């Protein structure tokens, strides 16, 4: 697959129904045989993890299982001391060992991130409209186009434009989260890494955001990698679910794994209620 | 378990201990370096009469046959204007400079901590009045207040020390008061009060151990500052007088000779820097452990 | 809260402290050894002259009255007359204050820029050699005795290398120009205003060395504070988000991490101002700088009580003003404090 300088604007121009010009069978994100070692300890050892275009994929595990590290690897943001082998391909572009120029377009522009701490993720000294505008400018969106994209994004996430004049500490959790998601939409990201994106929100807002993901998948064609410890929430949204434990994928499948969990880790996750510490899996 | 097994187990134990000690040193270099320097300083202060080659030079002895000798030979750090051995005077100066500074900090703590503790624990208008008084003292930059008081009292090492204490105690009072007032509101103090414990016992038993951390950090950091302030006062002529081998005074004595005989001023100045550095590093190293929330002013 | 509300809140407190400052200054004048009257009148004064002077100075009044008289005088602008210059203390002190402030301001500018650079280097390359170097530099700056540093710099840069003037505020040939063109009293500013190029250059070259020396401690302090604050900010979620958005590390440091990190630095700025002002006292006699420091030194050696008191008051007031300014600036820099 040719993946030299990504001068590709065709993806950005496609509407939801047009077939992408790339190989339709190849996944959007393909992680293969990835190992990440830091300080002599192998922290990630992933055989396979995929996300197709406009697909919602879940990555579920307890804290320390490697979820954050995998996200960092996908974004090319691993610490300098990390030793990486294997491959992470995004739309054919190899991320492991990619140059800064390659990553400039991919990181943020094509792969976006939504974090758990909604308000804390926004720059405290900037108003939200400035924050989005600067990010658009960073990704070379011409000035004239920015307002259009922003308006469309606000519409898609159902955020009142007046809220954009506020500073992060003046927004609610749900509103701040929508700002982050709006940025992803405005940047026309094809993949959104949602890192515990709903965990810190209260239940009704959680449901709203989950619904928002579903809508955006349909309207914008965005793929989502839902990273969470909450199996029940993910199962309600995702087409495919990967269970991660100690850096390895121990089980994967569709939402049916909730009914018939094969791996003891999955079983423990199914049995656990989100807020309480899980039963010790090693006792099994 | 055979004796050989036991021995190899013990050998393992030592190796493990050494390795973790090595790691600790690598992770906290500042702390270790500062402790080493401070240990040396304290040892020097105490042992000066025995390790200095010319102990009398720290007193009234002069040697007009050997004035302004450059470093080398009998006098590894040279001699000053009246032939006194610089090395010996610097070694004795440890007591005058570092020792006096320790006493100054101790006195400042002795005054400031109880006042702050009392003010914070009691609250109310007593607290208000005491803190206003503290504010007045803190309205002056410390060095200048010490200078003014030192000038009023007249030049001597003791007067300079007193002047610095007067300028320094309010910092501890305010720090302590902050900590005490914060803890005063906490639950277990309330329950203590309900049980009828005496005010003093309440204060010392509950508030003091918790508030001690930031105070200790501040005191360590301040030691460096006090050493510098004391040296500064002596340099201006408001502190120690000849023949006391206080480092700041020694720098002043070497001032006019600086171009031709730099060692007379350089050596004591370097000593001041070393001591101040050690205590600054100590304070910062302690800060991680004792005051992670950063209640101290630096 | 709004600036006006903040000012209103602080005013009574500041006023109270100002009165206290006056009291302390008065106390110092009374503590000074020697009889004020005979110091003023001189050693040859007759008994009648002494009595006259004593009455003029108000020394025969009961103590509380003396205090009130002194405080009232301060407020009205009568700070007494200096014994060693025979000029009104207020005039003396204000003029000298400006000279010292010139030094302090330049030093503070150097300290803020230098300190922030050192702090940024340490935070950006934390744990690697630039961090070690920056930490070593700030540690030394914070520990070196300033008068010693001044001597060293004077010897090496000025005397040996002859790069900069050794002492003074400007070259002697400009003495008349300084007298005529004086509007602010800050010679550099005045030279700029009157477009006097050579005087500007002369005054700049004279201020560099003493300003560097005065700036040493503040630079080290700001450097250490900035590093700690930046490291803490860099660990925050919004920085993580900014990286994920794709900003380069350098942009993140300068545009995203710097401003939120300025809080502790700004808070310490008033304190640093106080240190700088104190440091000038130590340095002025080294560099023959005609500021408050040398004025106080002269006053001490002549036991000039009113001058010492006046200098003390003005320094305290300047320090109070600095604290107030910093407290007003803080919400402007960090909107979270509003």
């Amino acid at each position: 697959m040719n993946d030299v300088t990504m001068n590709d604007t065709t993806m950005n121009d496609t509407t939801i129904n047009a077939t992408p010009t790339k190989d339709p069978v190849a996944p959007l994100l393909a992680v293969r045989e990835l190992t990440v070692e830091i300080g002599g300890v192998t922290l990630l050892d992933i055989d396979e993890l995929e996300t197709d275009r406009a697909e919602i994929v879940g990555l579920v595990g307890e804290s320390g299982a490697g979820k954050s590290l995998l996200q960092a690897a996908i974004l090319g943001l691993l610490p300098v001391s990390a030793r990486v082998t294997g491959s992470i391909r995004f739309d054919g572009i190899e991320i492991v060992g990619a140059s800064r120029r390659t990553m400039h377009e991919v990181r943020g522009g094509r792969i976006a991130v939504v974090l758990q701490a909604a308000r804390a993720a926004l720059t405290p000294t900037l108003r939200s409209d400035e924050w989005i505008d600067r990010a658009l400018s960073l990704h070379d969106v011409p000035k004239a186009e920015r307002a259009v994209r922003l308006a469309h994004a606000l519409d898609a996430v159902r955020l009142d434009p007046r809220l954009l004049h506020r500073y992060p500490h003046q927004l609610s959790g749900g509103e701040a989260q929508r700002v982050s998601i709006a940025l992803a939409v405005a940047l026309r990201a094809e993949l959104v890494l949602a890192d515990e994106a709903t965990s810190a929100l209260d239940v009704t807002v959680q449901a709203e955001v989950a619904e928002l993901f579903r809508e955006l998948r349909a309207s914008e064609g965005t793929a989502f990698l839902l990273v969470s410890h909450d199996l029940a929430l993910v199962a309600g949204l995702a087409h495919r679910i990967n269970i991660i434990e100690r850096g390895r994928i121990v089980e994967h499948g569709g939402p049916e794994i909730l009914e018939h969990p094969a791996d003891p880790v999955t079983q423990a996750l199914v049995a656990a209620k989100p807020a309480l510490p899980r039963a010790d899996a090693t006792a099994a | 378990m055979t004796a050989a097994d036991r021995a190899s187990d013990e050998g393992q134990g030592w190796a493990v201990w050494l390795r973790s000690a090595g790691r600790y040193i690598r992770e906290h270099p500042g702390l270790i370096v500062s402790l080493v320097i401070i240990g040396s300083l304290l040892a020097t202060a105490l042992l000066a009469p025995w390790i200095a080659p010319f102990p009398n030079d720290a007193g009234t002895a002069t040697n007009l046959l050997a004035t302004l000798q450059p470093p080398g030979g009998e006098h590894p750090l040279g001699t000053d204007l009246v032939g006194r051995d610089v090395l010996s005077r610097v070694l004795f100066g440890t007591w005058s400079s570092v020792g006096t500074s320790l006493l100054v900090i101790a006195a400042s703590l002795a005054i400031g901590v109880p006042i702050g503790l009392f003010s914070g624990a009691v609250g109310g208008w007593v607290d208000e009045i005491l803190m206003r008084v503290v504010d007045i003292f803190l309205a002056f930059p410390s060095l200048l207040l010490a200078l003014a008081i030192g000038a009023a009292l007249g030049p001597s090492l003791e007067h300079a020390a007193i002047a610095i204490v007067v300028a320094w105690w309010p910092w501890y009072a305010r720090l302590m008061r902050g900590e005490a007032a914060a803890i005063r509101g906490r639950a277990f103090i309330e329950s203590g009060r309900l049980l009828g414990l005496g005010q003093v016992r309440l204060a010392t038993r509950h508030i003091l151990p918790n508030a001690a951390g930031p105070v200790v950090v501040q005191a360590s950091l301040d030691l460096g500052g006090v050493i510098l302030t004391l040296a500064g006062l002596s340099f201006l002529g408001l502190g120690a007088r000849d023949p006391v081998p206080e480092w700041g005074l020694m720098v002043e004595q070497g001032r006019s000779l600086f171009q031709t005989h730099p060692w007379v001023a350089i050596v004591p100045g370097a000593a001041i820097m070393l001591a101040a550095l050690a205590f600054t590093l100590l304070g910062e190293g302690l800060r991680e452990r004792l005051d992670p929330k950063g209640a101290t002013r630096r | 809260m709004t600036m006006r509300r903040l000012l209103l809140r602080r005013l009574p407190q500041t006023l109270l402290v100002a009165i206290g400052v006056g009291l302390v200054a008065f106390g110092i004048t009374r503590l000074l050894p020697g009889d004020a009257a005979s110091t003023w009148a001189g050693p040859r004064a007759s008994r009648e002259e002494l009595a006259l002077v004593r009455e003029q100075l108000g020394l025969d009044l009961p103590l509380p009255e003396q205090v009130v008289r002194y405080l009232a005088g301060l407020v009205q602008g009568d700070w007494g007359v200096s014994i060693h210059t025979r000029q009104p203390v207020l005039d003396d002190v204000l003029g000298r204050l400006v000279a010292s402030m010139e030094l302090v301001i330049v030093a503070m500018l150097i300290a803020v820029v230098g300190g922030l650079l050192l702090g940024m280097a340490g935070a950006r390359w934390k744990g690697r050699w630039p961090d070690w170097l920056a930490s070593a530099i700030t540690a030394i700056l914070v520990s070196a005795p300033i008068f010693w540093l001044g001597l060293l710099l004077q010897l090496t840069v000025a005397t040996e290398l002859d790069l900069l003037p050794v002492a003074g505020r400007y070259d002697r040939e400009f003495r008349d120009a300084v007298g005529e063109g004086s509007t602010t009293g800050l010679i550099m500013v005045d030279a700029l205003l009157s477009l006097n190029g050579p005087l500007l250059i002369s005054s700049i070259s004279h201020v560099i060395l003493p300003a560097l020396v005065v700036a040493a401690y503040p630079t080290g302090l700001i450097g250490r504070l900035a590093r700690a604050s930046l490291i803490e900010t860099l660990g925050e979620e919004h920085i993580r988000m900014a990286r994920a958005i794709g900003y380069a590390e350098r942009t993140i440091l300068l545009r995203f991490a710097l401003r939120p990190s300025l809080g502790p630095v700004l808070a310490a700025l008033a304190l640093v101002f106080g240190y700088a002002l104190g440091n000038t006292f130590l340095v002025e006699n080294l560099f023959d700088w005609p500021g408050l420091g040398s004025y106080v030194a002269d006053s001490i050696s002549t036991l000039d009580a009113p001058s010492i008191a006046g200098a003390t008051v003005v320094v305290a007031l300047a320090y109070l003003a600095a604290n107030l300014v910093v407290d007003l600036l803080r919400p402007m820099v960090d909107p979270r404090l509003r």
Side-chain angles (χ1 to χ4, degrees):
Chain A
M1 182 147 281
N2 295 333
D3 59 336
V4 229
T5 25
M6 291 311 294
N7 218 357
D8 175 42
T9 49
T10 51
M11 263 319 288
N12 294 334
D13 287 345
T14 40
T15 56
I16 38 158
N17 290 318
T19 40
T21 52
K22 290 278 183 291
D23 184 345
V25 174
L28 178 64
L29 178 74
V31 179
R32 300 255 191 277
E33 317 263 325
L34 180 75
T35 67
V36 174
E37 179 207 313
I38 298 181
V41 183
T42 303
L43 294 166
L44 274 186
D45 186 1
I46 306 219
D47 288 332
E48 185 180 333
L49 187 140
E50 280 179 6
T51 307
D52 282 332
R53 298 176 199 289
E55 185 187 19
I56 301 184
V57 173
L59 180 66
V60 183
E62 287 296 330
S63 17
K67 312 195 293 287
S68 303
L69 207 56
L70 179 57
Q71 289 178 81
I74 294 172
L75 289 168
L77 287 175
L78 287 170
V80 187
S81 53
R83 302 275 155 265
V84 187
T85 69
S87 153
I88 303 176
R89 280 193 178 259
F90 176 77
D91 198 18
I93 307 168
E94 179 57 58
I95 293 194
V96 175
S99 71
R100 209 184 294 174
R101 204 185 317 157
T102 312
M103 288 314 294
H104 172 77
E105 191 192 318
V106 173
R107 189 189 302 145
R110 303 185 64 190
I111 306 179
V113 159
V114 178
L115 295 179
Q116 176 174 4
R119 273 175 298 207
L122 308 179
T123 305
T125 44
L126 285 179
R127 292 199 308 266
S128 299
D129 47 10
E130 294 172 313
W131 187 70
I132 293 182
D133 192 69
R134 286 204 197 179
L136 290 177
S137 163
L138 176 72
H139 287 278
D140 310 312
V141 177
K143 196 145 194 235
E145 206 183 316
R146 283 181 225 160
V148 176
R149 290 217 197 176
L150 182 56
H152 167 79
L154 291 176
D155 191 47
V157 305
R158 287 198 300 271
L159 187 67
D160 185 344
R162 287 171 300 177
L163 289 174
L164 282 188
H165 295 309
R166 295 198 185 167
Y167 287 94
H169 65 272
Q170 296 167 315
L171 296 169
S172 75
E175 289 162 348
Q177 204 62 298
R178 282 172 205 269
V179 172
S180 288
I181 301 170
L183 177 62
V185 173
L187 286 168
R188 303 209 182 137
E190 295 145 68
L191 173 64
V192 172
L193 302 177
D195 187 0
E196 306 278 6
T198 53
S199 309
L201 305 169
D202 36 89
V203 194
T204 30
V205 187
Q206 268 188 25
E208 286 171 15
V209 175
E211 183 56 36
L212 191 55
F213 287 168
R214 235 182 256 125
E215 285 174 23
L216 289 173
R217 185 195 79 85
S219 65
E220 310 287 321
T222 324
F224 287 84
L225 181 62
L226 299 179
V227 180
S228 178
H229 64 277
D230 188 349
L231 182 53
L233 176 93
V234 172
L237 272 177
H239 306 108
R240 280 193 284 175
I241 302 176
N242 299 277
I243 310 290
I244 185 172
E245 161 81 357
R246 281 188 244 205
R248 311 178 104 91
I249 307 285
V250 295
E251 187 166 355
H252 57 101
E256 71 279 355
I257 64 175
L258 210 66
E259 320 282 318
H260 311 288
D263 189 278
V265 175
T266 323
Q267 290 163 358
L269 283 167
V270 172
K273 297 188 173 63
L276 299 172
R278 70 181 174 121
D280 194 332
T282 55
Chain B
M1 182 183 286
T2 67
D5 290 337
R6 225 177 293 129
S8 72
D9 266 8
E10 278 174 15
Q12 288 285 61
W14 273 115
V16 170
W17 187 90
L18 271 174
R19 214 176 301 138
S20 58
R23 198 164 5 124
Y24 192 80
I25 292 180
R26 241 173 298 133
E27 281 171 15
H28 302 90
L31 194 56
I32 302 297
V33 166
S34 69
L35 286 173
V36 167
I37 298 179
I38 292 172
S40 319
L41 287 171
L42 288 175
T44 311
L46 293 170
L47 299 174
W50 291 280
I51 53 177
F54 295 87
N56 292 321
D57 284 2
T60 46
T62 62
N63 183 2
L64 296 171
L65 293 172
T67 63
L68 297 176
Q69 300 287 310
E74 240 189 352
H75 302 281
L77 295 174
T79 62
D80 68 0
L81 188 61
V82 288
R84 296 177 293 200
D85 179 41
V86 171
L87 174 63
S88 305
R89 287 179 61 79
V90 166
L91 290 177
F92 271 88
T94 314
W95 177 245
S96 314
S97 298
V98 178
T100 310
S101 304
L102 281 167
L103 288 174
V104 165
I105 292 284
S108 307
L109 285 171
I111 298 177
V113 167
I115 291 181
L117 187 60
F118 178 67
S119 189
V122 166
W125 58 268
V126 170
D127 186 22
E128 278 297 315
I129 291 187
L130 278 175
M131 282 306 113
R132 287 309 133 244
V133 171
V134 166
D135 279 345
I136 292 175
F137 276 90
L138 293 179
F140 302 87
S142 312
L143 175 66
L144 298 172
L145 187 58
L147 210 120
I149 297 176
L153 294 175
S156 94
L157 187 56
E158 293 79 20
H159 289 164
I162 293 174
I164 300 178
V165 169
V166 172
W168 236 262
W169 73 263
W171 293 104
Y172 299 122
R174 185 190 272 177
L175 185 62
M176 197 64 202
R177 184 254 172 207
E179 295 290 309
I183 294 177
R184 174 164 53 107
R186 286 214 208 126
F188 68 85
I189 294 289
E190 291 300 325
S191 56
R193 191 173 290 158
L194 285 172
L195 291 174
L197 288 175
Q199 289 265 35
V200 175
R201 193 124 61 90
L202 204 78
T204 45
R205 289 275 266 359
H206 293 284
I207 299 180
L208 207 52
N210 286 290
V215 173
V216 168
V217 173
Q218 184 73 71
S220 322
L221 291 171
D222 277 348
L223 261 167
V226 170
I227 292 175
L228 289 168
T229 308
L230 187 64
L233 285 178
S234 299
F235 180 80
L236 288 175
L238 293 171
R241 315 230 77 190
D242 203 66
V244 177
E246 201 275 332
W247 291 336
L249 180 63
M250 288 173 69
V251 175
E252 201 281 323
Q253 288 170 339
R255 178 182 157 188
S256 46
L257 309 159
F258 204 66
Q259 208 173 339
T260 46
H261 310 88
W263 62 89
V264 183
I266 286 186
V267 174
I272 299 173
M273 184 168 87
L274 197 65
L277 182 65
F279 286 106
T280 303
L281 289 176
L282 177 68
E284 295 209 344
L286 287 176
R287 179 190 266 154
E288 290 165 19
R289 292 287 212 91
L290 297 176
D291 182 33
K293 293 171 292 151
T296 51
R297 100 191 112 112
R298 283 182 237 160
Chain C
M1 58 177 76
T2 64
M3 212 173 281
R4 201 180 343 147
R5 227 171 341 134
L6 192 67
L7 264 171
L8 271 155
R9 244 222 194 166
R10 288 285 298 258
L11 227 45
Q13 194 182 354
T14 313
L15 224 57
L16 219 66
V17 173
I19 294 178
V21 163
L23 286 172
V24 170
F26 178 82
I28 291 177
T29 65
R30 287 296 169 263
L31 266 181
L32 277 172
D35 176 27
S38 50
T39 318
W40 177 262
R44 301 235 197 84
S46 68
R47 207 177 287 166
E48 295 87 24
E49 287 171 336
L50 272 180
L52 201 65
V53 169
R54 194 161 284 137
E55 193 190 320
Q56 275 183 334
L57 292 177
L59 292 173
D60 49 347
L61 297 168
L63 197 63
E65 254 195 78
Q66 290 190 39
V67 173
V68 171
R69 193 182 135 141
Y70 182 71
L71 288 178
L74 283 182
V75 169
Q76 290 165 353
D78 173 21
W79 291 30
V81 182
S82 165
I83 294 178
H84 77 277
T85 67
R86 304 277 161 172
Q87 302 290 324
V89 168
L90 187 59
D91 295 347
D92 272 353
V93 145
L94 280 182
R96 296 302 197 107
L97 179 68
V98 171
S100 290
M101 285 304 291
E102 191 172 23
L103 204 49
V104 169
I105 290 174
V106 175
M108 293 289 284
L109 286 173
I110 297 176
V112 169
V113 171
L116 284 179
L117 283 175
L118 285 168
M120 285 195 286
R124 168 82 175 85
W125 290 288
K126 177 181 167 195
R128 280 138 59 195
W129 70 263
D131 188 15
W132 285 112
L133 187 61
S135 281
I137 293 177
T138 52
I140 289 178
L141 287 175
V142 160
S143 316
I146 179 181
F147 44 90
W148 183 70
L149 210 59
L151 272 178
L152 278 173
L153 277 180
Q154 223 179 14
L155 180 69
T156 49
V157 175
T159 313
E160 295 294 316
L161 298 175
D162 207 13
L163 283 174
L164 291 167
V166 173
R169 215 174 156 194
Y170 48 84
D171 294 310
R172 213 177 290 163
E173 65 223 49
F174 295 105
R175 201 183 301 166
D176 298 324
V178 168
E180 289 167 7
S182 168
T183 35
T184 61
L186 296 166
I187 296 187
M188 285 188 291
V189 175
D190 287 341
L192 207 60
L193 289 174
S194 58
L195 298 175
N196 188 338
L199 176 60
L200 184 64
I201 295 177
S202 173
S203 62
I204 289 180
S205 66
H206 276 87
V207 90
I208 291 182
L209 219 49
L212 278 176
V213 176
V214 171
Y217 186 88
T219 307
L221 194 61
I222 290 178
R224 289 177 104 69
L225 277 175
R227 176 188 181 274
S229 185
L230 277 167
I231 286 177
E232 199 183 316
T233 305
L234 285 173
E236 288 175 0
E237 282 301 279
H238 67 96
I239 296 293
R240 194 175 148 219
M241 185 72 183
R243 281 203 194 102
I245 293 179
Y247 290 102
E249 202 60 32
R250 181 154 59 110
T251 314
I252 288 185
L253 187 68
L254 288 169
R255 307 233 342 274
F256 288 93
L258 191 56
R259 216 171 131 193
S261 308
L262 287 179
V265 173
L266 203 56
L269 217 56
L271 196 68
V272 167
F273 173 83
Y275 287 137
L277 201 53
N279 281 346
T280 63
F281 276 50
L282 288 172
V283 146
E284 276 176 19
N285 65 6
L286 267 181
F287 289 95
D288 259 339
W289 193 267
L292 264 182
S294 35
Y295 184 72
V296 168
D298 294 336
S299 307
I300 289 177
S301 53
T302 55
L303 295 178
D304 188 346
S307 302
I308 298 178
T312 313
V313 171
V314 83
V315 162
L317 290 180
Y319 190 41
L320 276 173
N323 269 292
L324 202 62
V325 166
V326 164
D327 282 340
L328 289 176
L329 278 177
R330 287 180 69 189
M332 290 205 309
V333 167
D334 190 348
R336 286 177 289 189
L337 291 174
R338 289 190 200 154

